Amino acid sequence: MSAEPKTVPTALESPPVDNRSNFGARGWSIVGVQGVLIWLAAGIQVHGLNIIVPTLAEYYGLDSTTLLYWATPASLGGVIAGWAVAKTCELWGAKINIIVCLAASAIAFGLLGTWGTIPAFVGLFFMVNFFGSGFGYVGGINLIANWFPRKKNLALGWMTMGQTMSTALFVPMLAAFFAIFGVQNGFWAVSAILGALVIVVALFVKNLPEEAGATPDNIPMTAEQIKASREAAETYKSPFSTLQLLKMKDVWLIGLGSGGIFIVLVAVLSQLVPRMMALGYSQDQAITNMAIAAFIGVPGAYAWGWLGQRMSSRMGLMLYSAWWLVAVVANLYATNTFMLWFSLVMIGLSFGGATNLTTAIVADKFPRGTFVKAFGIIQPMQGLVRITSYAILAWGLTHLGGYTGAYTMLAGIALVNVVLFWLVDPKPVEEPAGFAEAELAAH
């Protein structure tokens, strides 16, 4: 078979885009559960390090710099999960993977506070990243693609509000657990929440909306159409092998462009407090400003989803990349209060857009049946590019004259991202015929 993607018939593009979030009760329950899943995944993998590292260092007499250094290679667990968990989702479905990854994350995160050595931290944090990505960014995202093949932008917009809120709320929650329960039990308190979600997912989540008596995107279907759609989705096998997908230029354009977006986002967010301190703000004020920016970003998560639904994910990503370019330049020249807050508002509104749009474009290009296989290739590509952000930032700060040179380089990367997504062919590859025919009949 040729490596070039087979596109859907023109007729499948005829139904008008519906920008309403009319997901139905079961659809909203999936959005809500995934919002909580990604809130926890972002918290245990990224945001929690703000307090986990200094707490473990003080409690066990470890060097905080060494812990932070080893957190970077341990984070490769999330990159590996992008491929490994996607393969198991392809074989057994998203639900069982979410349950297993939640349970394993609960154990690994609880033990982080119990085994106080550097090797134990590296091994356990690797597991936290592997299984956290497994339930939050692979299995959970696969559910969204299954339930909302045409409205994934809107669903992801609402869902990524949870990820945005994690920036502001997970660290205070973990700090409160440490204060109330002590360090070791504080870690297990988070594990208890992960364990509770195992029960929620087991009882209330279905791999496909048809299994719950609902329909994809909550579009009206007859009982016969629902049955045909379910059978088509359950029996569908992607016609593309991993090698064939790797030969598609759009896979590489999306993977590299998505990784480039996260280079800019991670580099800016990781230095937002030090950057403001370099401008003369106290640490407390800088942290407060960052929290305010995070809360501003909550409605921004939905806004990027709405734009992606209205414009297409590809066009949304081009606009999003250009938005980051302007935000970085504005922060570069934030020599007064107005320019600082202009840049902070732009940055805050960008928090949720990255996960939303970079996932939605994969679901656009590789609908429903092929999504998990393509995502299992593109997500690790994205992760490998993303983890270079700290090295790129450090090189720019060291060799390009501090923040001026580093942020100029980030603006250049944002411009490259615009070009990469402009080169992507927006036409989707073939999807399960049963769903497509049922949707056309419904319209």
Side-chain angles (χ1 to χ4, degrees):
M1 181 180 293
S2 170
E4 287 304 312
K6 183 178 179 182
T7 56
V8 296
T10 304
L12 297 184
E13 301 171 2
S14 60
V17 175
D18 184 352
N19 296 315
R20 295 173 298 168
S21 299
N22 52 344
F23 302 138
R26 292 307 301 262
W28 275 112
S29 71
I30 294 296
V31 172
V33 168
Q34 176 56 13
V36 176
L37 289 177
I38 206 166
W39 183 83
L40 283 166
I44 63 176
Q45 292 178 254
V46 181
H47 307 306
L49 282 179
N50 287 284
I51 189 170
I52 290 171
V53 168
T55 298
L56 288 178
E58 180 179 357
Y59 191 77
Y60 287 108
L62 304 173
D63 180 63
S64 60
T65 303
T66 303
L67 284 176
L68 192 59
Y69 169 81
W70 281 107
T72 299
S75 297
L76 285 172
V79 176
I80 297 172
W83 177 83
V85 178
K87 294 300 290 184
T88 55
C89 283
E90 190 179 347
L91 293 172
W92 301 305
K95 178 177 176 176
I96 187 63
N97 279 276
I98 294 172
I99 291 172
V100 171
C101 288
L102 277 170
S105 295
I107 296 170
F109 194 80
L111 290 175
L112 268 179
T114 304
W115 291 349
T117 67
I118 297 293
F121 171 81
V122 175
L124 290 169
F125 195 60
F126 180 93
M127 293 176 61
V128 167
N129 276 275
F130 183 94
F131 293 109
S133 289
F135 74 74
Y137 293 95
V138 183
I141 294 296
N142 188 200
L143 272 184
I144 296 294
N146 286 343
W147 277 72
F148 310 103
R150 292 291 191 270
K151 291 189 175 183
K152 86 283 291 180
N153 294 89
L154 289 174
L156 287 164
W158 289 106
M159 177 270 292
T160 48
M161 285 186 177
Q163 182 185 28
T164 304
M165 290 298 292
S166 185
T167 307
L169 298 181
F170 187 87
V171 173
M173 182 192 75
L174 187 56
F177 285 165
F178 289 157
I180 296 170
F181 305 115
V183 171
Q184 294 188 3
N185 291 332
F187 279 95
W188 286 109
V190 175
S191 297
I193 298 174
L194 293 166
L197 279 169
V198 170
I199 300 173
V200 171
V201 173
L203 293 178
F204 300 110
V205 169
K206 301 292 184 183
N207 282 315
L208 299 169
E210 296 93 336
E211 295 176 12
T215 63
D217 297 316
N218 195 36
I219 63 174
M221 288 184 181
T222 65
E224 291 78 11
Q225 289 172 335
I226 293 175
K227 180 181 178 182
S229 179
R230 176 176 179 175
E231 290 176 351
E234 288 179 340
T235 60
Y236 180 81
K237 299 297 182 184
S238 174
F240 305 106
S241 67
T242 298
L243 182 60
Q244 286 171 326
L245 289 170
L246 285 171
K247 290 181 179 179
M248 295 181 189
K249 68 178 180 63
D250 289 328
V251 168
W252 290 93
L253 290 171
I254 294 171
L256 295 174
S258 299
I261 277 179
F262 280 100
I263 285 177
V264 179
L265 184 148
V266 171
V268 171
L269 293 189
S270 67
Q271 287 295 299
L272 204 54
V273 170
R275 167 65 175 158
M276 283 186 278
M277 292 175 67
L279 292 172
Y281 291 84
S282 68
Q283 184 181 54
D284 289 343
Q285 185 61 53
I287 293 173
T288 300
N289 290 349
M290 184 174 178
I292 293 172
F295 279 109
I296 290 172
V298 173
Y302 171 77
W304 286 111
W306 184 88
L307 280 173
Q309 188 73 30
R310 187 67 181 258
M311 302 172 60
S312 82
S313 302
R314 172 176 167 267
M315 293 298 295
L317 279 163
M318 292 169 63
L319 178 60
Y320 183 77
S321 300
W323 180 279
W324 263 112
L325 192 159
V326 176
V328 169
V329 172
N331 194 263
L332 179 60
Y333 292 100
T335 56
N336 56 62
T337 302
F338 172 80
M339 284 301 294
L340 174 67
W341 278 103
F342 178 78
S343 68
L344 288 179
V345 169
M346 290 195 72
I347 291 169
L349 289 172
S350 302
F351 279 3
T355 299
N356 179 333
L357 292 168
T358 58
T359 302
I361 194 172
V362 181
D364 277 349
K365 186 68 187 179
F366 304 96
R368 216 178 187 208
T370 303
F371 168 80
V372 67
K373 176 169 281 190
F375 192 69
I377 296 171
I378 292 173
Q379 202 265 359
M381 282 184 187
Q382 175 199 109
L384 288 172
V385 175
R386 182 184 68 239
I387 62 176
T388 66
S389 58
Y390 296 116
I392 290 172
L393 179 65
W395 189 88
L397 290 172
T398 304
H399 301 286
L400 296 178
Y403 285 107
T404 300
Y407 276 40
T408 300
M409 185 170 56
L410 293 178
I413 293 173
L415 181 59
V416 171
N417 294 337
V418 175
V419 176
L420 289 173
F421 289 114
W422 177 72
L423 293 172
V424 172
D425 180 356
K427 294 189 296 294
V429 301
E430 191 175 53
E431 65 182 7
F435 165 71
E437 292 167 358
E439 186 192 30
L440 284 174
H443 282 280

